[in-house]
Amino acid sequence: MKLLDIYKNGNAKIMLFDNGTRVIEYPDDEKLNVDFPLSMDCKITNKCPMGCPMCHEKSTPDGEHGDIMGAEFINKLHKGTEMAIGGGAVTSHPDLVDFLYKLKKIGVRPSITVHQKEFERNETLIKYLIDNELIYGLGVSFSSKNDKLWSKILEYKNAVVHLINGIHGKEVFDYFAYNKSKILILGYKDFGRGHDFLNTEMGKIIEEKMTWLNQNLKDYINKFDVVSFDNLAIEQLDVKNILSKEQWDEFYQGDDGTATMYVDLVKKQFAKTSTSSERFDLLDNIEDMFNTIKGGR
């Protein structure tokens, strides 16, 4: 495990490693209190041809791209800040490569999330981004079994399979078990098209899969090389009660809005999370944006 970055942020020392691990050290008698976000989710486009019925961003084939080169706060991000870039289909944005070169110059550590089909259609571009160290991590959302494709995806060191609580059940978790997969379990977002989908005839199936994962998560955690969660999944699956106190204290990285935030470069807004109803217009520097989020908790 190679150390990539080490920096001070508020009362914490942050260390980033080349396998995607982030270690946070701060005084035992204090709460984590950072001056700027350790990481942010950043939506750069609402254009996507996939039409996923659970898409909380309501992305469409004719969706708009964000002005990713013109946002002033980007120029004032801090070295070591992690940015999870999503959409929409991120590879559809014409300025993606230029944007990533800009982030690299600043010292930001970006990752991208792509749909399985998006990876398949744009593998040459994605390989270029990895080979030129323009992305720090690669998230790929599962949609179907394809042994040849998934073997290829999982050859990339920092590739992580994205699975959604309620959408992916036992069959999919078994598909990736015991093969050294890294998976990220995302909470089901009852927001955007996700809200409408939950209220169709599929709602019962979604709830059944949520129940299955809740009941079986403890038995599945050790079947993967790495299992991580977004905060919504941590809440939905009651992950805290599965881990020991020592494990929780070691691995939990803070509540939404205490170390993370969300930025929508399409609508030029920011918020605590991508499902927050309270949104604010972009400001010129990240500290003011982050303080707005922390003040609104």
Side-chain angles (χ1 to χ4, degrees):
M1 200 164 61
K2 178 183 176 183
L3 181 65
L4 296 179
D5 279 309
I6 181 168
Y7 67 95
K8 185 81 165 54
N9 186 350
N11 69 343
K13 180 173 75 171
I14 315 299
M15 291 168 283
L16 303 178
F17 295 88
D18 65 344
N19 67 348
T21 299
R22 177 173 66 202
V23 175
I24 305 172
E25 294 181 353
Y26 57 95
D28 291 338
D29 59 344
E30 298 179 17
K31 291 185 178 181
L32 177 65
N33 185 18
V34 295
D35 298 325
F36 53 90
L38 304 180
S39 64
M40 65 178 69
D41 290 334
C42 186
K43 177 181 177 178
I44 66 169
T45 181
N46 206 37
K47 183 181 180 69
C48 183
M50 304 304 172
C52 298
M54 79 295 287
C55 178
H56 71 287
E57 296 285 5
K58 294 185 176 181
S59 297
T60 62
D62 59 353
E64 295 181 17
H65 294 310
D67 177 14
I68 60 179
M69 300 302 290
E72 179 61 28
F73 83 92
I74 295 291
N75 302 313
K76 300 170 185 175
L77 291 176
H78 295 264
K79 183 178 183 295
T81 300
E82 296 171 87
M83 180 184 288
I85 300 172
V90 297
T91 56
S92 71
H93 200 297
D95 295 329
L96 175 64
V97 175
D98 288 342
F99 183 60
L100 292 173
Y101 271 111
K102 181 176 183 176
L103 294 179
K104 183 176 182 178
K105 185 176 181 180
I106 295 169
V108 172
R109 294 285 179 180
S111 61
I112 61 171
T113 298
V114 298
H115 189 279
Q116 173 183 333
K117 292 180 181 177
E118 186 181 359
F119 177 92
E120 193 169 16
R121 296 169 185 173
N122 296 280
E123 184 184 356
T124 300
L125 170 60
I126 292 170
K127 185 176 186 303
Y128 174 86
L129 302 180
I130 293 170
D131 290 346
N132 288 276
E133 299 182 338
L134 294 174
I135 58 173
Y136 172 67
L138 172 67
V140 184
S141 301
F142 175 87
S143 64
S144 63
K145 294 180 181 179
N146 182 327
D147 293 350
K148 184 177 179 180
L149 178 63
W150 280 106
S151 293
K152 185 181 296 185
I153 292 170
L154 293 172
E155 285 177 0
Y156 290 104
K157 180 175 66 174
N158 284 354
V160 178
V161 184
H162 285 200
L163 303 177
I164 303 173
N165 180 31
I167 297 297
H168 303 111
K170 184 179 187 302
E171 183 180 3
V172 176
F173 278 83
D174 285 343
Y175 183 66
F176 289 105
Y178 297 117
N179 67 353
K180 296 300 181 182
S181 300
K182 297 179 182 178
I183 67 169
L184 168 63
I185 302 176
L186 302 166
Y188 186 93
K189 295 179 174 65
D190 185 5
F191 193 84
R193 288 207 297 264
H195 176 76
D196 298 333
F197 193 48
L198 197 58
N199 288 285
T200 67
E201 64 275 6
M202 288 297 298
K204 184 177 180 181
I205 296 174
I206 292 170
E207 291 174 359
E208 288 173 352
K209 289 181 178 179
M210 286 181 174
T211 299
W212 173 82
L213 186 55
N214 201 296
Q215 294 175 344
N216 293 276
L217 179 61
K218 187 174 182 178
D219 295 330
Y220 271 77
I221 281 182
N222 294 324
K223 295 183 180 183
F224 303 94
D225 190 33
V226 174
V227 180
S228 52
F229 307 86
D230 70 358
N231 278 2
L232 184 57
I234 287 174
E235 178 184 347
Q236 291 177 352
L237 297 169
D238 197 17
V239 174
K240 186 174 183 178
N241 284 330
I242 293 175
L243 304 178
S244 67
K245 183 180 185 305
E246 291 74 19
Q247 288 174 317
W248 177 261
D249 291 342
E250 179 181 358
F251 296 124
Y252 186 60
Q253 303 268 301
D255 297 341
D256 289 328
T258 62
T260 63
M261 61 182 293
Y262 170 75
V263 175
D264 184 339
L265 289 177
V266 180
K267 294 183 177 179
K268 299 182 179 180
Q269 296 176 333
F270 67 97
K272 184 166 72 170
T273 71
S274 62
T275 59
S276 298
S277 57
E278 186 177 27
R279 307 237 170 165
F280 309 91
D281 292 335
L282 291 183
L283 303 175
D284 286 344
N285 69 78
I286 193 63
E287 281 84 2
D288 287 344
M289 291 164 59
F290 191 51
N291 284 333
T292 301
I293 295 298
K294 291 197 292 185
R297 290 203 308 270

